[in-house]
Amino acid sequence: MLDPRWVREHHGEFDVFHIHFGFDAQEPKALRELVTALREHGKPLVYTVHDLRNPHHRDTRAHQEQLDVLVPAADAVITLTPGAARVIESTWDRTATVLPHPHVLVTPPPVRTRSGDDGFLVGLHAKSLRPNMAVVPVLEVLARTIRELPGARLRVDVHNDVIDPSGYWHCPETVSYLRAAHDDGRLDLRVHDCFTDDELWAYLSELDLSVLPYRFGTHSGWLEACYDLGTTVATSTCGFYPEQRPCLTYRHDESGLDEAALAAAVEYCYRERPLWQADPGVRSRERRELAKVHRALYEDVLSRCNRCASR
């Protein structure tokens, strides 16, 4: 769909072209050609800016160049937080409509309770070690911290492609650390392929605290899922995660990690057991409102495009 040929062949089948993700592999030139094809056929472009910084790219240039095409060209720009909207305005002089991320779970889970009787489980899911993660420094702090908290445990999940020497994301140094830490009892290492949705919800529901080891990024669907489930999140102050949903924070970015702040976040969660869980009724109303706002926005950009075409 990001190929201008697709637009030219299918332009009679859609009214608005709305981009969220999926353009990582597109060169800026190809995106400009896409915009041109949309303009040729009077199709408005809407772009929801989820990532100001791509979590899969160490180098910022490629994503920045893509945004330099999409944000100015979009007939309407959406983003998820006021902080991201401020960056969009200061960088591209575009006003973004701020709409919250909707619920992730289709079926609302039961309201969660926390008694502390079952211990305290901290989880860090390293996934496939995408570039915005700094896993080992965070784990070292977590392991030291939970050692001083009676009943606390640390679980670390990682995908097979990190452990497998033939895997694309294989990282010998991290594997060596994880295996050694598992063997000496500092953490419980679980290796597997990607969870299904149901497996992921079950995993998150087991945790008292999910720690996100991000050193750069913008927004998080993982945080939204945890909010649906009532799982507390500790995340870094890079990006705009704290503006999305209630969570614990610690400073962690490309300049380094505030170890004391991370330890304090874990200790606070252990001591206070905060519970931030989405109300299903509120989430349902939020989704209906988001649909209503999107429809109005689509109608507005269509109306503007039609007026331009009639001139």
Side-chain angles (χ1 to χ4, degrees), residues 158-167 169-171 174-175 178-179 189 191-192:
V158 67
H159 291 156
N160 278 310
D161 56 5
V162 174
I163 303 296
D164 185 350
S166 64
W169 296 110
H170 179 58
C171 182
T174 301
V175 170
L178 291 174
R179 283 178 168 157
L189 178 63
V191 181
H192 48 79

Side-chain angles (χ1 to χ4, degrees), residues 26 28 40 66 101 124 131-132 145 159 165 180 187 191 198 209-210 226 264 274 279 292 300:
Q26 302 295 312
E40 288 173 357
Q66 291 164 333
H101 196 299
L124 186 152
N132 75 327
T145 304
H159 291 156
L187 56 85
V191 181
D198 288 343
L209 177 64
S210 180
C226 287
D279 178 276
K292 187 189 304 181
D300 177 63

Side-chain angles (χ1 to χ4, degrees), residues 15-16 39 42-47 71-78 94-95 97 293-311:
D15 299 298
V16 178
R39 295 285 180 266
K43 301 298 180 180
L45 170 64
V46 176
Y47 175 39
V71 176
D75 296 282
V77 179
I78 300 171
R94 293 298 309 270
T95 299
T97 300
V293 174
H294 275 79
R295 183 182 182 90
L297 186 146
Y298 293 155
E299 290 174 343
D300 177 63
V301 295
L302 276 167
S303 174
R304 285 191 275 126
C305 278
N306 289 336
R307 285 199 301 272
C308 289
S310 65
R311 290 174 185 169

Side-chain angles (χ1 to χ4, degrees), residues 38-89:
L38 291 170
R39 295 285 180 266
E40 288 173 357
H41 294 283
K43 301 298 180 180
L45 170 64
V46 176
Y47 175 39
T48 296
V49 184
H50 291 265
D51 296 320
L52 288 164
R53 173 78 186 271
N54 192 314
H56 302 283
H57 295 177
R58 288 186 175 85
D59 191 321
T60 63
R61 288 175 295 180
H63 190 66
Q64 187 68 36
E65 289 172 357
Q66 291 164 333
L67 294 184
D68 285 341
V69 175
L70 293 176
V71 176
D75 296 282
V77 179
I78 300 171
T79 194
L80 307 181
T81 56
R86 289 192 294 272
V87 173
I88 291 166
E89 184 169 19

Side-chain angles (χ1 to χ4, degrees), residues 93 101 138 196:
D93 196 26
H101 196 299
V138 171
T196 65

Side-chain angles (χ1 to χ4, degrees), residues 39-260:
R39 295 285 180 266
E40 288 173 357
H41 294 283
K43 301 298 180 180
L45 170 64
V46 176
Y47 175 39
T48 296
V49 184
H50 291 265
D51 296 320
L52 288 164
R53 173 78 186 271
N54 192 314
H56 302 283
H57 295 177
R58 288 186 175 85
D59 191 321
T60 63
R61 288 175 295 180
H63 190 66
Q64 187 68 36
E65 289 172 357
Q66 291 164 333
L67 294 184
D68 285 341
V69 175
L70 293 176
V71 176
D75 296 282
V77 179
I78 300 171
T79 194
L80 307 181
T81 56
R86 289 192 294 272
V87 173
I88 291 166
E89 184 169 19
S90 64
T91 305
W92 295 282
D93 196 26
R94 293 298 309 270
T95 299
T97 300
V98 178
L99 300 176
H101 196 299
H103 63 83
V104 174
L105 272 72
V106 175
T107 304
V111 176
R112 185 164 182 168
T113 58
R114 294 187 183 281
S115 66
D117 296 338
D118 298 325
F120 181 73
L121 180 59
V122 178
L124 186 152
H125 199 313
K127 306 180 189 178
S128 293
L129 296 182
R130 67 189 190 190
N132 75 327
M133 290 186 171
V135 169
V136 172
V138 171
L139 285 178
E140 289 177 336
V141 176
L142 294 178
R144 289 198 306 269
T145 304
I146 67 165
R147 194 165 54 226
E148 305 302 321
L149 304 176
R153 295 173 292 130
L154 174 59
R155 171 175 166 176
V156 178
D157 285 67
V158 67
H159 291 156
N160 278 310
D161 56 5
V162 174
I163 303 296
D164 185 350
S166 64
Y168 183 81
W169 296 110
H170 179 58
C171 182
E173 298 82 3
T174 301
V175 170
S176 177
Y177 171 85
L178 291 174
R179 283 178 168 157
H182 174 80
D183 290 344
D184 66 21
R186 283 177 287 162
L187 56 85
D188 176 14
L189 178 63
R190 310 284 184 93
V191 181
H192 48 79
D193 289 326
C194 294
F195 283 140
T196 65
D197 285 353
D198 288 343
E199 288 170 341
L200 179 57
W201 312 150
Y203 157 75
L204 290 174
S205 297
E206 294 176 13
L207 304 180
D208 294 286
L209 177 64
S210 180
V211 179
L212 308 185
Y214 304 156
R215 59 195 183 97
F216 60 82
T218 312
H219 300 119
S220 171
W222 190 277
L223 174 59
E224 294 289 345
C226 287
Y227 183 57
D228 283 335
L229 290 162
T231 300
T232 304
V233 171
T235 185
S236 49
T237 50
C238 68
F240 301 102
Y241 310 117
E243 291 189 14
Q244 273 189 258
R245 302 295 173 188
C247 58
L248 304 174
T249 60
Y250 62 98
R251 189 188 66 77
H252 187 199
D253 52 36
E254 291 175 287
S255 67
L257 166 66
D258 186 335
E259 297 185 359

